[in-house]
Amino acid sequence: MTKRDLIEEVAQQYPRFSRREAEVMVNAVFDSMTEALAKGERIEIRGFGSFMVKQRTAREGRNPRTGAIVSVAAKRVPLFKVGKELRLRVDGQTLPDGFLDDDDETEVAEEHGE
Amino acid sequence: MTKADIVENIYEKVGFSKKEATDVVESIFELLKGHLQQGEKVKISGFGNFIINAKRPRKGRNPQTGEEIIISGRRVLSFKPSPVLKKSINPGELS
């Protein structure tokens, strides 16, 4: 699924909005999330997961092909932690009756950049 | 930032009613969850990709008791940020 498909599905679900309006709204959602992360803010979407920004210190890395030492500058990286509800659904588990996502038992999906 | 803040931003930006903005934001995350639940990869250009990985069963250890256990195979979700997103959170950086 791509962003285009998502826009299409939103437009179909809300016939009172034009495709263009659906596009504006979908873009606005991801733009406002990007802006929050750029400010270093944490985003928490109940049932889905949370996004945060983590500082990585400068380090010495190696070019894996040549073995040459290169310095990797300090940077901030975005991380996503999947929420409990989505984690269970992705794994094909059924949610218990009266399930309430408190997002306290999440696993970190770290991405260390290049 | 929570879903309510996202709704607020959309509402200010696009000028639909707050009820409409709330419904649409809710639907967007429900649609994403539905596709991910089906094991589908979700690609949001300019933001990032949500990918489902299958993990094989592996041996683990209960750190408290030292007892060896088998960690079952499972499907997990990971997020790969787009270069555009990485750049947005590292302003003023070359390349």
Side-chain angles (χ1 to χ4, degrees):
Chain A
M1 183 206 218
T2 62
K3 193 165 75 179
R4 185 181 299 220
D5 300 325
L6 177 62
I7 291 164
E8 199 51 56
E9 288 180 21
V10 169
Q12 274 170 21
Q13 203 170 324
Y14 294 90
R16 65 181 182 280
F17 297 135
S18 68
R19 208 197 152 280
R20 173 72 195 139
E21 287 171 324
E23 182 177 356
V24 167
M25 285 189 279
V26 168
N27 283 330
V29 168
F30 294 106
D31 288 349
S32 76
M33 288 169 75
T34 301
E35 280 164 30
L37 291 172
K39 282 187 264 177
E41 258 178 65
R42 182 186 141 90
I43 306 169
E44 189 173 328
I45 310 293
R46 283 284 149 102
F48 188 81
S50 59
F51 296 86
M52 61 186 149
V53 172
K54 208 167 173 180
Q55 179 73 38
R56 297 251 184 261
T57 52
R59 62 185 170 86
E60 270 188 359
R62 264 173 199 282
N63 178 330
R65 196 165 313 180
T66 64
I69 294 174
V70 289
S71 61
V72 180
K75 62 181 167 188
R76 301 197 298 167
V77 294
L79 298 178
F80 173 68
K81 248 172 141 177
V82 61
K84 194 172 181 184
E85 179 200 325
L86 185 54
R87 173 161 56 88
L88 295 176
R89 281 173 64 173
V90 160
D91 197 30
Q93 298 183 40
T94 45
L95 304 178
D97 277 353
F99 176 84
L100 200 75
D101 196 342
D102 50 12
D103 272 343
D104 61 356
E105 263 189 76
T106 46
E107 282 162 22
V108 184
E110 287 216 6
E111 207 265 332
H112 290 272
E114 47 280 74
Chain B
M1 170 182 253
T2 63
K3 215 150 47 185
D5 300 311
I6 296 177
V7 168
E8 200 62 43
N9 288 341
I10 308 246
Y11 167 66
E12 282 166 16
K13 265 190 221 169
V14 295
F16 299 121
S17 78
K18 191 165 272 181
K19 168 86 171 76
E20 287 171 325
T22 307
D23 288 349
V24 171
V25 169
E26 194 63 49
S27 297
I28 288 171
F29 288 106
E30 283 309 316
L31 286 165
L32 292 175
K33 285 194 274 186
H35 284 275
L36 293 169
Q37 179 170 16
Q38 302 303 312
E40 224 183 288
K41 177 178 177 176
V42 172
K43 301 198 281 186
I44 306 296
S45 70
F47 189 74
N49 297 345
F50 294 91
I51 303 149
I52 309 292
N53 290 313
K55 298 279 185 191
R56 267 192 289 243
R58 61 191 167 90
K59 269 190 200 160
R61 218 176 258 285
N62 179 333
Q64 230 134 55
T65 64
E67 181 196 354
E68 220 173 67
I69 47 171
I70 299 289
I71 298 167
S72 57
R74 60 194 67 201
R75 292 202 300 173
V76 298
L77 173 61
S78 63
F79 174 66
K80 182 118 177 48
S82 118
V84 179
L85 176 59
K86 287 190 196 171
K87 215 170 204 169
S88 308
I89 70 168
N90 288 287
E93 200 181 86
L94 299 171
S95 81

